[in-house]
Amino acid sequence: MLYKFKSQAAAEVIMLQSTGDEMLKIVGKTPGPTGIITVEQIPGVISALQAEIKRREAQPKEEKKEDGEASGSDDPIPLGKRAVPFIELLRESAEAKKDVVWGV
């Protein structure tokens, strides 16, 4: 499944299910095939994403194992980079006073 986050204020943002699920959980939304982030919710959603990005960036860098591979997460792209298009969509939507929806 792909998530297509849409707003009348900006271009849609498409994410793989795992990334979309992660973003929605971070912001307190239940992952699923449809949903909405209202204009009133957008500031809190952006704050939650930014707080989680800061928290993850503050964690110690992963140490290399003896075989040269990184320990921990298999995802080489940090949340901060994956969240940028979504945060931009949220900001543009807030400025235009438009909700963000997915699966609709």
Side-chain angles (χ1 to χ4, degrees):
M1 177 176 104
L2 290 176
Y3 279 99
K4 291 184 181 181
F5 294 97
K6 302 175 192 175
S7 169
Q8 293 178 346
E12 68 183 31
V13 172
I14 300 172
M15 292 182 195
L16 294 174
Q17 181 175 355
S18 59
T19 302
D21 286 350
E22 179 182 18
M23 298 283 176
L24 292 172
K25 288 176 186 174
I26 290 168
V27 303
K29 292 287 187 177
T30 303
T34 61
I36 186 169
I37 299 170
T38 65
V39 173
E40 295 79 18
Q41 295 171 328
I42 290 175
V45 167
I46 292 171
S47 293
L49 285 168
Q50 290 174 331
E52 182 62 14
I53 290 166
K54 280 186 177 182
R55 186 191 72 77
R56 291 186 187 189
E57 287 175 350
Q59 290 178 340
K61 297 290 181 198
E62 298 179 54
E63 295 182 16
K64 297 280 184 180
K65 292 188 216 174
E66 287 182 21
D67 62 5
E69 291 192 26
S71 61
S73 173
D74 292 335
D75 190 356
I77 303 171
L79 176 65
K81 288 189 180 187
R82 287 184 284 129
V84 168
F86 188 45
I87 291 172
E88 286 303 311
L89 169 69
L90 291 164
R91 284 187 179 138
E92 290 177 28
S93 298
E95 287 176 18
K97 297 186 180 355
K98 300 292 182 183
D99 297 332
V100 174
V101 297
W102 64 94
V104 186

